[in-house]
């Protein structure tokens, strides 16, 4: 798949000749090695303008091999190899006729925090690049038999809300709200992916936790979350602000229940973010 400069170093890149044969393969190159992998992608049918924007050819990690060739590679040629993409394919390109196939449709690699985040939030676009609602190609999820989501005086814009949630007098914009999520009064969720919870807490359990100064599962009153990934069963207290106001790109604050990657605040699974935490 043709790709631009911004993410090229995250992929295995290849060079091809006029016939589409792979001449050289380099796994996640950086610096000068990355620049050396630029090719004329108009060979793949891109327009001159598109080829300038996307001067790299990235591997999707999907391979079709003859069984005999595959067995020979694994058993005899490279029996000690551990990785197909970084070891076997590059070596094979020097010995076999390895052909590249142009895939010119939707495809995203979600091997990094940022790519995972961007690919998920892109589903909220109108229309999204990837369509879950194609009747001719339906996509089914595992049935969970959850009740419908309950929404009380909320403002929701360009977002996806999953089953079994409780949203109370909150604002949700350009976000994904996962199953069994609970957003309390005054919560503002923007550019955020919230994965939800594996279980419910009863009203009595929630009241008992609050009375003890503890934090229930979900997002507490008046919390402001921006540019976040909230993993399962996270407990985010009242008056919390996770907005990365200082635009920090990389940080580890695991003892506080989160870390930052590519400017995205990631709240850990089962983490507890105390009342009043500011980031």
């Amino acid at each position: 798949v043709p790709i631009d400069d911004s993410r090229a170093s995250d992929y295995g890149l290849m060079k091809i000749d006029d016939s589409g044969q792979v001449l050289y393969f380099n796994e996640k190159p950086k610096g000068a090695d990355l620049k050396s992998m630029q090719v004329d992608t108009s060979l793949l049918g891109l327009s001159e303008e598109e080829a300038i924007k996307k001067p790299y050819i990235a591997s999707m990690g999907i391979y079709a091999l003859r069984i005999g060739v595959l067995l020979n590679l694994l058993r005899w040629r490279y029996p000690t190899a551990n990785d197909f993409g970084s070891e076997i394919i590059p070596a094979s390109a020097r010995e076999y006729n390895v052909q590249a196939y142009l895939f010119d449709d939707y495809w995203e690699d979600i091997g990094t925090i940022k790519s995972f985040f961007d690919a998920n939030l892109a589903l909220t676009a109108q229309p999204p690049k990837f369509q879950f609602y194609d009747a001719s190609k339906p996509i089914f999820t595992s049935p969970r038999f959850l009740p419908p989501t309950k929404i009380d005086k909320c403002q929701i814009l360009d977002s996806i809300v999953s089953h079994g949630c409780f949203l109370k007098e909150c604002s949700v914009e350009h976000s994904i709200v996962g199953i069994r999520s609970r957003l309390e009064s005054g919560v503002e969720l923007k550019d955020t992916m919230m994965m939800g919870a594996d279980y419910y807490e009863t009203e009595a359990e929630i009241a008992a936790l609050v009375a003890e100064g503890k934090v229930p599962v979900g997002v507490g009153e008046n919390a402001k979350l921006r540019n976040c990934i909230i993993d399962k069963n996270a407990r985010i207290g009242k008056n919390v602000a996770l907005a990365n106001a200082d635009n920090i790109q990389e940080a580890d604050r695991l003892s506080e229940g989160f870390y930052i990657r590519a400017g995205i605040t990631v709240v850990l699974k089962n983490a507890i973010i105390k009342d009043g935490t500011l980031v």
Side-chain angles (χ1 to χ4, degrees):
V1 62
I3 198 168
D4 60 23
D5 283 287
S6 64
R7 295 188 296 163
S9 61
D10 294 332
Y11 301 93
L13 303 178
M14 62 186 74
K15 282 188 170 183
I16 62 173
D17 63 16
D18 293 346
S19 68
Q21 182 174 349
V22 176
L23 302 176
Y24 184 66
F25 189 99
N26 197 336
E27 182 72 8
K28 298 180 180 179
K30 310 285 184 184
D33 288 338
L34 174 61
K35 293 298 181 183
S36 71
M37 294 303 295
Q38 289 187 348
V39 297
D40 180 9
T41 51
S42 63
L43 294 172
L44 295 173
L46 272 67
S47 67
E48 184 176 339
E49 183 179 354
E50 289 176 316
I52 293 173
K53 291 180 180 178
K54 298 179 178 180
Y56 300 99
I57 302 174
S59 170
M60 295 170 63
I62 300 172
Y63 313 106
L65 296 89
R66 290 189 176 91
I67 293 176
V69 172
L70 176 61
L71 293 176
N72 180 58
L73 290 171
L74 297 178
R75 289 176 175 173
W76 308 111
R77 297 294 293 122
Y78 311 106
T80 61
N82 294 311
D83 187 82
F84 208 84
S86 64
E87 296 179 89
I88 293 178
I89 292 298
S92 300
R94 295 192 292 268
E95 299 184 36
Y96 293 90
N97 179 10
V98 179
Q99 291 287 137
Y101 170 79
L102 172 65
F103 181 78
D104 192 20
D105 206 330
Y106 178 84
W107 176 78
E108 288 290 344
D109 179 272
I110 55 172
T112 67
I113 293 293
K114 180 168 175 53
S115 61
F116 173 79
F117 180 72
D118 290 342
N120 276 277
L121 287 191
L123 297 173
T124 67
Q126 296 295 337
K129 291 181 180 179
F130 180 76
Q131 181 60 268
F132 272 109
Y133 309 102
D134 188 339
S136 64
K137 292 175 284 186
I139 294 177
F140 299 98
T141 63
S142 174
R144 297 180 179 89
F145 308 110
L146 291 172
T149 284
K150 187 174 182 179
I151 300 174
D152 181 15
K153 300 177 185 177
C154 300
Q155 182 178 19
I156 301 174
L157 179 66
D158 297 334
S159 298
I160 297 172
V161 180
S162 300
H163 295 85
C165 300
F166 295 90
L167 279 61
K168 180 181 180 182
E169 299 179 19
C170 60
S171 170
V172 180
E173 182 180 348
H174 189 230
S175 296
I176 294 176
V177 181
I179 59 172
R180 302 187 188 90
S181 292
R182 180 180 288 269
L183 305 182
E184 298 294 349
S185 177
V187 167
E188 294 180 10
L189 211 66
K190 185 175 181 180
D191 304 328
T192 290
M193 180 183 177
M194 184 171 180
M195 295 187 181
D198 294 315
Y199 53 87
Y200 287 119
E201 289 175 334
T202 66
E203 294 298 329
E205 289 172 332
I206 292 172
L209 287 167
V210 172
E212 295 172 8
K214 297 180 180 179
V215 183
V217 171
V219 183
E221 293 179 358
N222 301 313
K224 317 298 183 189
L225 308 182
R226 304 280 189 282
N227 208 43
C228 296
I229 297 174
I230 313 297
D231 208 340
K232 285 281 193 75
N233 310 323
R235 300 169 183 267
I236 299 176
K238 299 177 182 178
N239 303 308
V240 168
L242 301 181
N244 193 9
D246 294 330
N247 195 29
I248 296 169
Q249 293 301 299
E250 305 287 327
D252 289 310
R253 294 172 63 174
L254 304 183
S255 63
E256 298 175 67
F258 68 91
Y259 59 86
I260 298 174
R261 294 290 182 271
I264 301 162
T265 303
V266 182
V267 177
L268 302 173
K269 186 174 183 179
N270 301 315
I272 300 174
I273 308 297
K274 297 178 180 179
D275 292 352
T277 298
L278 303 178
V279 179

